[in-house]
Amino acid sequence: VSSVLVADDDDDLRHIIVECVADEGYTVLEARDGTQALALVLAEKPEIVILDNRMPGLSGAEVVRRVRDAGGDSAIILITAATDVAKLAAEVGVPFYLGKPFGLTDLVEVLRRARPALQTARAETIYR
Amino acid sequence: VSALGRRGAERAAPVFVFQSPKTSSLLSSQPAGDAHRPRLRWLSRGDECGATELSIFALVEAEELAVTPEQAERTKQAWRRYVATGRISQELLSVHTYDAWLRCKTYGTNPQVMKIRRLPDADTAALLESEAPLISASQPYLRALSLSAGTERHFAAIADGHGILLDVVGHEAALRQTTVFPGPMGPGVCLSEPVVGTGAFGTALAESRYVEIVGPEHFVCDLQMYACQGAPVRGPDGSVVGVIGIVVQRSEAADRVREILFCAAHGIEVELARRHVENDVAHVLADCGATASVDRLWQDLTQLPCATRLTVERAAHVAGKDRPRDAFRLISSADALVSRFARQAHLWREMAYDDHGSAQPIDLNRRIAEIADLLETEAAVRGVLIDVQPAQDFRVTMDVRALSRTVLRALLRALDSVPSDSTLTIRTDRSGDGAYVVFSTGETLALQNETGSEPPA
């Protein structure tokens, strides 16, 4: 069973995302700020991280930078209500993102795209 | 406030779920003598939060529409009598059905012939363009509504304020229905009351409230095989801008989608309000000299509509899988999210008014807490905890808009001056002719009571 970390400081939003992700068959971890998210990514190494960009502690962008610096290879889905989501995701260096408000279908779709991308990346690493 | 009519085991014994101190007075106001058709009033959310100006929380009167076999038979009898004599038998019909049929008679609607009116293609295209904001706001909720119907033959649609369909989703066969509706059911088809008689879309618009028209309650005989439900959708200014509805063939299916329909209507209203309130946030923050915060606070405000949309979609998903308990839990959550967004949107809207309003008694501590709530995430990201410490409950008499802007401006200044990982304490105290608001940064606001409606010097 793949594991997913959901990091968002908004309790209502985090809870409903967790419920939706769990219903897709994933094991779900939760973080309510950037600091907690970073600690969980490094300790638990979830396959996928759904990461809010605007959080107390560390921003989503900062979490991504530190995870990559530490060699973490989790597939990261950036979620944000920022106006130019694609630009922000490119700056942060993540291929997967969702602009708020997003829907259930969007969430499920991006999860399904993120998982094989991670597996491909891991396979390439092993090959090298 | 949540007041959702639920059918009980006996169908005619609804369970009312209220979260308001007004419950008892409302229940006692139910008309006596018609036990099978009790009516409930859906309390205004604005009523609870004081957001009376935000019309998306206008008072809604809903009807528990458990149609018993006896009632259905009486309605059929009334219809036959009307066709034969042209007289509407008030004694056989529920109040709402009687009123609706009376309107249909006035329009000259033929109860025996289904009329179809469809806009020409060019007009439909123009309408879809002008109604693009409503269409895009409603799309996820239409899908959710359709999902909640599960495998039932159905269609769900959003119509404009005249009952003309803008977008339709649903069971493929139902959309191609040719027995009743020649041609595909799609944008441009008019389902207003004068055209098709009583129905989800036209009657909800005519009465500006949620309606459920079951079987023989339809004025036009061709529609009497359906159960349909419609709820008006209000724009940010409170006017009805459209109606969302669903048509199913089995009335049992209508039970499943009722609450989802309520939530879908409010979800669309939240999305319309969200787009509108962006200007209010920008306007208020520009006035406060905090233009740099606009994007961040706007992002914070978007959290609630995002959670609302996901929650309604999830509720529809589980409702479609026959998990009513889960669906109801999620619907209650969605309801609370809508209420919270309403309070925040109302506050921004109120502060965006430039003109000076009249002085009125205001619970100062509550108002400060509400404004602090708007800045909660901004403060948390800066590592600041806002702690409102009311000395006692009291009111000041001021223009609420001016007061709110003054407090917001001061709070933004205070946030700028406190270091991260600290607590910003706000204390209020009564003074001889008003109140003090004291920030731990050292700033003190002296608020003077206004005696009239004239602007303060």
Side-chain angles (χ1 to χ4, degrees):
Chain A
V1 177
S2 302
S3 59
V4 175
L5 169 67
V6 178
D8 197 308
D9 58 312
D10 186 285
D11 292 344
D12 296 312
L13 187 53
R14 190 178 67 254
H15 290 158
I16 189 65
I17 292 174
V18 164
E19 188 171 331
C20 295
V21 172
D23 196 51
E24 288 296 305
Y26 295 95
T27 298
V28 190
L29 304 164
E30 291 184 55
R32 61 173 60 203
D33 60 43
T35 313
Q36 197 181 11
L38 179 63
L40 279 170
V41 174
L42 298 179
E44 303 293 334
K45 298 182 173 49
E47 286 191 307
I48 300 171
V49 182
I50 297 175
L51 186 67
D52 182 27
N53 187 51
R54 183 165 156 75
M55 283 190 295
L58 297 170
S59 70
E62 185 59 21
V63 172
V64 174
R65 194 184 66 76
R66 294 196 192 189
V67 167
R68 296 303 182 227
D69 284 352
D73 67 351
S74 301
I76 293 176
I77 300 166
L78 194 71
I79 56 174
T80 174
T83 316
D84 197 340
V85 189
K87 187 180 168 197
L88 177 66
E91 285 169 1
V92 174
V94 296
F96 305 109
Y97 55 85
L98 287 171
K100 295 178 185 176
F102 55 83
L104 185 56
T105 314
D106 306 316
L107 179 63
V108 171
E109 174 61 23
V110 76
L111 275 173
R112 286 181 184 162
R113 282 193 292 120
R115 195 172 170 211
L118 171 71
Q119 288 165 344
T120 305
R122 284 185 176 170
E124 283 174 359
T125 306
I126 293 165
Y127 178 74
R128 275 193 228 112
Chain B
V1 177
S2 173
L4 304 172
R6 311 277 296 173
R7 287 180 187 175
E10 300 298 318
R11 287 184 56 81
V15 176
F16 294 92
V17 182
F18 285 94
Q19 297 170 341
S20 162
K22 294 190 178 179
T23 307
S24 54
S25 63
L26 284 169
L27 287 177
S28 63
S29 71
Q30 303 302 314
D34 193 353
H36 291 303
R37 294 181 69 80
R39 294 167 64 194
L40 65 90
R41 301 188 79 192
W42 198 9
L43 279 177
S44 160
R45 290 188 181 82
D47 213 20
E48 187 184 57
C49 67
T52 48
E53 286 178 34
L54 192 65
S55 53
I56 64 172
F57 308 104
L59 192 70
V60 176
E61 187 177 281
E63 187 179 13
E64 168 54 54
L65 290 132
V67 179
T68 61
E70 297 76 22
Q71 175 65 55
E73 193 48 52
R74 286 200 295 272
T75 307
K76 282 179 192 169
Q77 193 185 337
W79 188 84
R80 287 193 294 268
R81 192 180 290 178
Y82 175 69
V83 169
T85 67
R87 180 179 158 266
I88 300 176
S89 307
Q90 188 171 6
E91 69 281 7
L92 295 175
L93 296 169
S94 70
V95 174
H96 285 292
T97 306
Y98 174 75
D99 289 345
W101 283 20
L102 208 54
R103 285 196 301 274
C104 293
K105 184 181 178 184
T106 308
Y107 305 139
T109 311
N110 187 336
Q112 294 178 287
V113 178
M114 178 71 197
K115 250 192 322 184
I116 295 299
R117 191 171 294 164
R118 191 186 301 270
L119 286 186
D121 289 349
D123 292 348
T124 301
L127 178 69
L128 296 185
E129 192 178 336
S130 67
E131 296 287 358
L134 176 61
I135 295 169
S136 67
S138 62
Q139 271 170 347
Y141 295 100
L142 265 189
R143 282 200 303 269
L145 188 58
S146 178
L147 194 65
S148 68
T151 54
E152 294 288 340
R153 190 179 161 105
H154 72 279
F155 75 84
I158 181 86
D160 73 353
H162 302 286
I164 299 168
L165 296 188
L166 301 171
D167 196 8
V168 187
V169 296
H171 197 273
E172 205 50 42
L175 297 180
R176 285 198 309 268
Q177 171 66 266
T178 54
T179 319
V180 177
F181 298 106
M185 179 59 60
V189 171
C190 182
L191 296 181
S192 69
E193 225 179 31
V195 175
V196 298
T198 51
F201 300 90
T203 305
L205 284 173
E207 301 189 2
S208 291
R209 67 177 184 93
Y210 168 79
V211 296
E212 197 168 315
I213 314 283
V214 180
E217 292 178 330
H218 287 91
F219 187 73
V220 176
C221 63
D222 285 338
L223 298 177
Q224 290 176 352
M225 68 178 83
Y226 299 109
C228 58
Q229 296 150 285
V233 174
R234 292 174 189 274
D237 67 350
S239 60
V240 173
V241 296
V243 57
I244 183 168
I246 186 163
V247 177
V248 294
Q249 279 191 317
R250 293 188 322 124
S251 61
E252 291 76 9
D255 289 348
R256 187 192 297 166
V257 301
R258 183 179 299 110
E259 287 82 9
I260 304 288
L261 180 65
F262 273 124
C263 279
H266 289 307
I268 297 168
E269 289 169 347
V270 162
E271 184 54 23
L272 293 174
R274 184 185 75 87
R275 295 170 187 188
H276 201 264
V277 84
E278 184 175 11
N279 296 330
D280 296 333
V281 174
H283 184 77
V284 172
L285 292 177
D287 180 66
C288 293
T291 312
S293 305
V294 172
D295 188 51
R296 295 196 303 272
L297 293 182
W298 168 241
Q299 287 187 44
D300 298 343
L301 196 62
T302 301
Q303 299 282 83
L304 286 169
C306 187
T308 304
R309 179 175 163 182
L310 275 176
T311 307
V312 173
E313 289 185 332
R314 173 88 186 138
H317 180 74
V318 298
K321 293 189 169 182
D322 273 333
R323 288 161 56 188
R325 188 169 294 186
D326 284 340
F328 191 66
R329 170 181 57 79
L330 288 160
I331 285 163
S332 300
S333 298
D335 211 38
L337 291 167
V338 167
S339 296
R340 189 165 168 223
F341 178 78
R343 282 195 292 273
Q344 295 195 349
H346 173 70
L347 207 48
W348 285 113
R349 169 72 44 81
E350 199 172 61
M351 289 190 286
Y353 282 114
D354 283 327
D355 53 326
H356 193 84
S358 57
Q360 55 181 293
I362 303 159
D363 182 335
L364 181 63
N365 294 317
R366 179 175 171 177
R367 179 53 52 139
I368 290 173
E370 286 172 341
I371 293 171
D373 189 41
L374 295 181
L375 303 180
E376 186 187 12
T377 303
E378 173 69 9
V381 169
R382 294 178 185 214
V384 176
L385 177 70
I386 302 176
D387 182 17
V388 183
Q389 295 183 346
Q392 55 186 309
D393 285 339
F394 63 92
R395 290 171 185 266
V396 290
T397 304
M398 291 185 72
D399 166 28
V400 67
R401 300 166 188 169
L403 169 70
S404 301
R405 276 206 207 196
T406 303
V407 170
L408 177 68
R409 204 176 289 128
L411 197 45
L412 286 166
R413 272 197 306 270
L415 270 182
D416 281 339
S417 59
V418 288
S420 59
D421 295 323
S422 63
T423 299
L424 171 63
T425 307
I426 307 169
R427 218 162 31 79
T428 59
D429 214 344
R430 196 194 297 266
S431 71
D433 57 349
Y436 291 114
V437 181
V438 183
F439 295 85
S440 54
T441 51
E443 181 172 354
T444 299
L445 287 180
L447 304 171
Q448 281 195 321
N449 281 324
E450 293 175 40
T451 51
S453 59
E454 291 179 8

